[in-house]
Amino acid sequence: MESGKQAKRNAADPADWATIRRFLPYLWPKNRPDLRWRIASALLLVLVAKAITLALPLAYKRVVDTMATQGDAQMWVALAFVFAYAAGRFAGTAFDNVRNIIFERVGQDATRHLAEDVFGRLHRLSLRFHLSRRTGEVTKTIERGTKSIDSMLYFLAFNIAPTILELIAIGVIFYTMFGLPLVIATAATVVAYIAVTRWITEWRTKLRAEMNDLDGHALSRAVDSLLNYETVKYFNAEAREQERYGSSARAYAEAAIKSENSLGLLNVAQSLITNLLMLGAMAFTVWQWSRGRLSVGDLVAIQTYLTQLFRPLDMLGWVYRTIRQGLIDMAQMFRLIDTPVEVRDAPGAPALVVTQPTVVFDNVVFGYDPEREILHGLSFEVPAGAHVAIVGPSGAGKSTIGRLLFRFYDPWSGRILIDGQDIRQVTQESLRRTIGIVPQDSVLFNETIGYNIGYARSDATAEEIEAAARDASILPFVQRLPQGFATEVGERGLKLSGGEKQRVAIARTLLKNPPILLLDEATSALDTRTEQDILGTLHRVSENRTTLAIAHRLSTIADADRIFVLDAGRLVESGSHADLLRHDGLYAEMWQRQAHERDLLDEAAE
């Protein structure tokens, strides 16, 4: 139990500056001299602006001291320093903003490249990863990680580093003008300020990490509930879903209250420390003035320097929190990048070249978990151009065959061959280009019908998309729509009926034009009439292709060249429909049971 808690703490605590070092290649890209020039220019402007800022209190001091001296000539001297002071303030502001303008492209490019790398990595991770993670939490991790980058860069380059330079410079100025005691007092105050800020901020960081977890949990519940909108309605579960989301939202609100209250405590502690220094420094100056050692201008200079120093110090807690939180968010995002890729291309793997689209499962053993084996030495062969079906009871391993064929997982042992080539020895991209699929649940993008059909090929023309729609028998339906192919299908295609979604999926596969076609219970979710229409389309589509049909309803595959019957992950029967019926085994039993169910439905209809 204790080790589990420690692991959780380690997961929440980033590798601190190791995370920043890992990000530096994105900030200082080798092949972008223009971005490096921008960084160098921005840092130069930082130094110039800081030098001007440090000179301003001295100009202010001269104004006050000059005004304390009688004489008409002194007015022009004082005015000159006033103009210098105003010009310096404007120049400092101008340089700061020009610096931001120059640096903005650097930050945005670094953020974009990292976000693209994370997004690409997510698509390379296995199906197992995506089935085990909540989509809302993953997207929130990426969103927080990318948003934190720009602010972290800004604070590190333009707040922390300049503040350190300013501290050193003010220490030198104070020592030169006012002596060592003021330097020691300022240094001690800064150390105390940083220590208190760090201690309270570390406490707040834990609260923020808890807030992030609860925020992600609430978001994942909301996304999950909205994606399953119809299911919620089916079971009158609106109040239940609201309560589930409300419990997460309440937990987040409590964590947020603790976090904001801790911020108030931090602000009070910081204000106490800084104002104690201001009190001591100004009292020291007044005392020295009373003894004739310092002027009124010196009081103004010290007050101005401390005010300038307190401004970034007042922000130090916020800056430190932002950087720490950014480190947490970036570390979580880097952990996504570091997630091992379960299915990798072999080094130097060639592309799959198919001349005879045969499919062979050779003694394949596989399971999703080590304790649960699904396929037990499965072997079968699909000849080129054949129409083969795989049937069996629920849980027999039928859909697992499709996932292995697409190489979403690798077998524990055995081989899967296409045209005699082990699919683990070829590139995944070329493998998946060779296979087309019409799944049971055709999930579409929340885009237009034309986009969803054309998704099969990025270079598809409008004429090719229309031809695919025609061959899939969906073109008449599309032409009746007011917006035609520009019609939005809604999230996951919910604006279309089941049959219409299936025809869009068929058209998409036709446009892909693969030599091997996988039909994964492509009609099981449809009514009988729609199913017969879709089956006719699928028969036309599967001509001159190697077709592997995974089916639950045996009537849909009775005309297959060969039928493989699975039971508990083993091949128990194979042959044509007629052969299997004569064999009077598992297939015949399933056929009779489904025929009886059809008879009962017909009687009920009469």
Side-chain angles (χ1 to χ4, degrees):
M1 183 70 178
E2 191 62 34
S3 61
K5 291 181 180 179
Q6 183 64 39
K8 187 173 182 180
R9 283 195 296 268
N10 292 341
D13 187 28
D16 293 331
W17 300 109
T19 303
I20 296 178
R21 288 196 301 270
R22 185 167 178 181
F23 175 69
L24 287 179
Y26 293 94
L27 180 62
W28 191 261
K30 295 180 179 179
N31 58 342
R32 293 295 303 274
D34 58 318
L35 295 184
R36 293 186 174 190
W37 175 87
R38 285 176 176 270
I39 295 172
S41 300
L43 293 178
L44 178 62
L45 287 173
V46 168
L47 296 176
V48 174
K50 189 55 63 180
I52 293 174
T53 301
L54 290 169
L56 289 178
L58 298 179
Y60 200 7
K61 163 183 160 56
R62 293 298 299 272
V63 171
V64 174
D65 284 342
T66 303
M67 290 176 65
T69 304
Q70 299 296 324
D72 294 337
Q74 301 302 320
M75 179 191 73
W76 296 106
V77 175
L79 282 177
F81 280 111
V82 166
F83 280 115
Y85 181 79
R89 285 178 58 86
F90 171 75
T93 302
F95 286 147
D96 283 345
N97 284 275
V98 171
R99 172 206 70 196
N100 292 341
I101 293 172
I102 292 175
F103 191 78
E104 182 63 25
R105 181 171 295 278
V106 177
Q108 291 298 331
D109 272 33
T111 302
R112 176 176 58 84
H113 284 136
L114 181 55
E116 289 176 357
D117 284 352
V118 176
F119 188 74
R121 180 70 170 196
L122 287 174
H123 276 292
R124 289 195 299 273
L125 294 179
S126 69
L127 182 62
R128 190 192 312 274
F129 170 86
H130 290 281
L131 292 177
S132 64
R133 294 292 295 265
R134 295 178 181 271
T135 303
E137 291 179 353
V138 172
T139 54
K140 195 71 174 179
T141 298
I142 298 174
E143 177 188 358
R144 283 197 297 254
T146 52
K147 282 186 176 180
S148 68
I149 293 169
D150 198 42
S151 58
M152 280 185 58
L153 289 176
Y154 180 86
F155 288 133
L156 286 171
F158 306 139
N159 187 281
I160 298 295
T163 299
I164 293 173
L165 292 175
E166 187 168 9
L167 279 170
I168 296 172
I170 289 177
V172 173
I173 293 172
F174 277 7
Y175 178 76
T176 303
M177 297 179 62
F178 310 114
L180 187 60
L182 188 57
V183 175
I184 294 175
T186 303
T189 302
V190 170
V191 170
Y193 186 97
I194 293 175
V196 170
T197 299
R198 186 179 186 279
W199 177 71
I200 298 180
T201 303
E202 288 293 340
W203 173 47
R204 297 197 69 241
T205 298
K206 295 177 182 178
L207 297 178
R208 288 287 302 180
E210 181 183 355
M211 283 177 58
N212 279 352
D213 291 341
L214 294 171
D215 188 24
H217 190 56
L219 178 66
S220 66
R221 282 191 172 180
V223 171
D224 197 32
S225 180
L226 293 175
L227 288 176
N228 291 279
Y229 169 83
E230 293 178 78
T231 304
V232 174
K233 293 293 184 182
Y234 294 152
F235 295 96
N236 299 321
E238 294 91 341
R240 192 190 320 163
E241 289 299 314
Q242 184 173 350
E243 173 57 29
R244 286 181 73 236
Y245 177 75
S247 63
S248 296
R250 285 192 296 273
Y252 172 78
E254 290 299 321
I257 290 171
K258 292 180 182 178
S259 178
E260 290 304 313
N261 289 346
S262 66
L263 175 61
L265 176 62
L266 175 62
N267 290 336
V268 170
Q270 290 173 334
S271 179
L272 176 63
I273 294 172
T274 55
N275 281 286
L276 283 175
L277 174 62
M278 182 72 78
L279 172 63
M282 296 185 71
F284 169 78
T285 308
V286 171
W287 175 61
Q288 292 288 75
W289 167 79
S290 67
R291 302 178 65 181
R293 295 178 181 176
L294 294 177
S295 67
V296 176
D298 290 323
L299 176 68
V300 172
I302 288 177
Q303 191 272 341
T304 306
Y305 272 123
L306 291 179
T307 301
Q308 288 184 181
L309 181 61
F310 289 162
R311 191 177 301 119
L313 282 180
D314 283 342
M315 294 178 59
L316 181 63
W318 177 47
V319 170
Y320 183 73
R321 290 192 306 274
T322 302
I323 292 175
R324 286 287 292 158
Q325 186 59 43
L327 287 170
I328 291 174
D329 295 337
M330 286 180 64
Q332 289 176 341
M333 189 166 61
F334 279 127
R335 277 195 289 274
L336 286 180
I337 294 180
D338 292 338
T339 303
V341 177
E342 183 178 342
V343 180
R344 292 177 177 271
D345 286 342
L352 176 65
V353 179
V354 177
T355 55
Q356 292 294 318
T358 59
V359 178
V360 175
F361 273 59
D362 180 17
N363 197 29
V364 171
V365 177
F366 174 73
Y368 296 106
D369 298 307
E371 299 82 11
R372 185 185 171 210
E373 190 173 304
I374 303 295
L375 301 181
H376 309 275
L378 181 63
S379 297
F380 64 83
E381 180 176 356
V382 182
H387 183 186
V388 171
I390 297 178
V391 300
S394 296
K398 303 186 298 295
S399 295
T400 300
I401 290 173
R403 290 176 172 178
L404 290 174
L405 190 60
F406 267 93
R407 210 180 163 211
F408 292 153
Y409 304 92
D410 281 332
W412 293 354
S413 64
R415 300 183 302 165
I416 302 174
L417 308 175
I418 292 180
D419 197 4
Q421 302 162 71
D422 190 333
I423 63 174
R424 285 178 296 192
Q425 303 304 319
V426 299
T427 61
Q428 297 175 65
E429 191 274 335
S430 64
L431 167 68
R432 291 166 188 157
R433 191 171 57 240
T434 303
I435 309 171
I437 184 171
V438 180
Q440 176 182 0
D441 182 18
S442 299
V443 179
L444 305 181
F445 290 95
N446 189 8
E447 276 282 357
T448 65
I449 293 177
Y451 175 88
N452 277 283
I453 295 176
Y455 194 76
R457 282 195 6 241
S458 59
D459 60 344
T461 64
E463 291 75 16
E464 289 173 323
I465 292 174
E466 183 175 334
R470 182 183 300 107
D471 292 340
S473 302
I474 196 176
L475 184 60
F477 163 75
V478 176
Q479 290 175 334
R480 289 195 300 270
L481 297 172
Q483 294 179 300
F485 283 100
T487 302
E488 298 278 344
V489 303
E491 189 167 9
R492 305 175 75 223
L494 293 178
K495 290 184 180 180
L496 303 181
S497 69
E500 291 159 356
K501 285 202 298 182
Q502 288 298 76
R503 291 191 186 279
V504 170
I506 293 169
R508 185 162 57 189
T509 301
L510 280 171
L511 187 63
K512 185 178 182 181
N513 194 27
I516 299 173
L517 182 61
L518 177 64
L519 307 176
D520 189 2
E521 304 204 45
T523 62
S524 62
L526 305 176
D527 61 85
T528 304
R529 179 176 178 181
T530 305
E531 179 185 58
Q532 293 305 314
D533 292 341
I534 296 291
L535 281 175
T537 303
L538 289 174
H539 286 154
R540 292 196 310 274
V541 169
S542 60
E543 290 177 359
N544 303 318
R545 304 177 197 270
T546 300
T547 305
L548 189 62
I550 297 170
H552 173 70
R553 289 207 282 264
L554 304 184
S555 59
T556 63
I557 49 85
D559 60 344
D561 300 329
R562 193 169 189 83
I563 301 172
F564 296 115
V565 184
L566 267 61
D567 188 20
R570 293 180 172 87
L571 182 62
V572 294
E573 297 174 15
S574 69
S576 66
H577 171 71
D579 292 338
L580 293 172
L581 288 181
R582 284 194 297 270
H583 185 265
D584 197 23
L586 178 60
Y587 181 85
E589 178 188 339
M590 294 169 59
W591 178 268
Q592 291 168 5
R593 186 183 302 115
Q594 292 186 13
H596 180 64
E597 292 172 356
R598 287 196 300 271
D599 291 341
L600 291 177
L601 288 174
D602 292 341
E603 290 177 8
E606 294 175 358

